[in-house]
Amino acid sequence: MRVLHLSNLYAPVIGGLERSIATSGEMMVRRGHEITVLTLATPASPDDEVINGVRVIRVRSVANTLLPGMNRDPRKPFHPTMADPLATAAIAAVLRANTFDLVHSHDWLMYSYLPLHSGPLGLPHVHTAHDFGLTCVRKTFARQGRRCDDGPSLGRCVPCASEQYGTPKSALLTAGLRAQRHRGIDCLTAISRSVASALNLARLPGELPVRVISSLVPDGLDELARATPRPSWLPDRPYLLFVGQLGPHKGIDVLFDAYEKLRADWPGPDTVPDLVCIGTQRHDTPPIPEGVTVRTDVPHPQVMSAWRHAAAGVVPSLLEGMGQVAVEAML
């Protein structure tokens, strides 16, 4: 089978979504399939390369070519909730130049493919919802710290998302998402029942069912954890481990508050466990408390080894569809 994956980001930018795509793609390559990932261009990456058997094609879009201000971080290009003309043209060019059996989309880059689905370049299309992005422009499906059970509307979503994007961008993204009817998805999957339940409030074709298929981790990950030497930078005593972006969307503020209380109440300051955080600091990362070790750019084998040696793993995100890091930790 020849599959074209569509994803806003891909390696070297790696988060849970990108790791899930890489895992499924690389495992399918091992089984004899041809896998291509089409993603948005980043400054330091080639336009066309092969990573672990997966072909990666990076294309330009309006957001990262003509309106770079839409990207808070140029290394993580942004795609809006509507078709991007340059991205649509690039997808069409790739479809004309190659033969695929299936298109599998994973985020808002899908909106640049949907205009092509009903035309001569259209192929069977699977979309996997890794978060709440088909329902909520913040992708959290939360308002004022709680699940948004009232559902989306212009009146509620624009003020809520303005905290993240600013009012003009929030209004544009919300209007674009509310205008979508998601016609052109032939099969819709969600990574958890939580995500699937929120999709009931998205504007979907009435006959389109949602199937829950959990995130994947690669074969042999537990063996990798056992075979990788214990990283020398880990504390010598018991430690708690967090892995993920160091932002409130991952609950890092909750974790830091809890850890400071733990240190204050612990009987004997010399025996309190350290807290190790592996991840990327962000603009909204809170101050790092005493006793916290932060490591960035840690190779994945060392991450798995760190999980293996931790006294406990912590996944503090309050509102997340399915933290793949929890699956890796439980291995």
Side-chain angles (χ1 to χ4, degrees):
M1 179 178 288
R2 294 157 295 187
V3 181
L4 176 64
H5 288 274
L6 303 179
S7 175
N8 290 6
L9 304 173
Y10 196 70
V13 180
I14 286 290
L17 185 154
E18 295 79 33
R19 190 173 298 284
S20 177
I21 299 169
T23 295
S24 62
E26 291 168 15
M27 292 297 107
M28 289 186 71
V29 167
R30 292 185 188 181
R31 288 160 173 77
H33 303 285
E34 296 181 20
I35 305 300
T36 300
V37 174
L38 186 148
T39 186
L40 298 177
T42 53
S45 300
D47 292 341
D48 198 330
E49 66 175 329
V50 176
I51 302 176
N52 296 330
V54 176
R55 184 185 181 191
V56 182
I57 300 174
R58 298 183 178 88
V59 302
R60 301 304 191 268
S61 67
V62 169
N64 67 2
T65 303
L66 304 178
L67 299 173
M70 292 188 70
N71 302 314
R72 176 176 287 163
D73 183 344
R75 297 169 301 174
K76 297 181 179 181
F78 182 81
H79 191 284
T81 55
M82 59 203 74
D84 182 299
L86 290 181
T88 296
I91 294 170
V94 170
L95 290 173
R96 290 191 191 97
N98 301 271
T99 301
F100 299 104
D101 301 305
L102 176 75
V103 172
H104 189 171
S105 63
H106 298 269
D107 46 31
W108 289 346
L109 186 56
M110 167 185 69
Y111 294 130
S112 288
Y113 169 71
L114 290 183
L116 304 171
H117 181 266
S118 60
L121 296 175
L123 293 170
H125 175 211
V126 176
H127 180 79
T128 294
H130 294 259
D131 52 34
F132 303 101
L134 298 193
T135 304
C136 168
V137 295
R138 296 185 68 176
K139 301 187 178 183
T140 61
F141 197 54
R143 188 159 58 97
Q144 297 177 344
R146 298 182 179 181
R147 184 179 169 93
C148 185
D149 292 323
D150 294 335
S153 71
L154 284 174
R156 285 189 291 269
C157 295
V158 173
C160 179
S162 294
E163 301 173 11
Q164 179 171 335
Y165 298 110
T167 300
K169 193 172 177 181
S170 170
L172 177 67
L173 295 175
T174 300
L177 187 61
R178 298 299 295 156
Q180 294 289 347
R181 295 299 184 272
H182 299 103
R183 297 185 180 93
I185 301 176
D186 300 306
C187 178
L188 178 60
T189 71
I191 64 170
S192 70
R193 285 178 291 178
S194 175
V195 171
S197 66
L199 290 176
N200 294 329
L201 296 174
R203 298 192 173 211
L204 302 173
E207 71 282 1
L208 184 63
V210 180
R211 299 177 59 189
V212 176
I213 301 176
S214 180
S215 296
L216 306 172
V217 294
D219 296 338
L221 205 58
D222 49 347
E223 289 88 350
L224 177 67
R226 287 192 292 269
T228 302
R230 189 182 193 276
S232 60
W233 44 264
L234 286 173
D236 294 331
R237 57 185 180 175
Y239 62 91
L240 311 175
L241 181 61
F242 166 89
V243 177
Q245 294 186 50
L246 304 181
H249 68 303
K250 294 294 185 181
I252 197 68
D253 51 340
V254 176
L255 175 57
F256 285 173
D257 287 346
Y259 185 67
E260 288 186 308
K261 292 176 181 177
L262 177 71
R263 286 180 58 87
D265 296 339
W266 195 269
D270 294 335
T271 61
V272 62
D274 290 342
L275 173 61
V276 176
C277 296
I278 299 176
T280 304
Q281 296 195 45
R282 295 161 37 102
H283 70 284
D284 53 1
T285 299
I288 310 297
E290 183 181 353
V292 177
T293 299
V294 175
R295 299 288 298 194
T296 60
D297 300 321
V298 176
H300 195 234
Q302 290 191 23
V303 174
M304 293 308 302
S305 179
W307 279 127
R308 179 168 180 256
H309 292 95
V314 188
V315 184
S317 50
L318 300 179
L319 297 161
E320 190 169 18
M322 171 67 176
Q324 186 173 348
V325 66
V327 182
E328 294 189 353
M330 287 192 294
L331 282 174

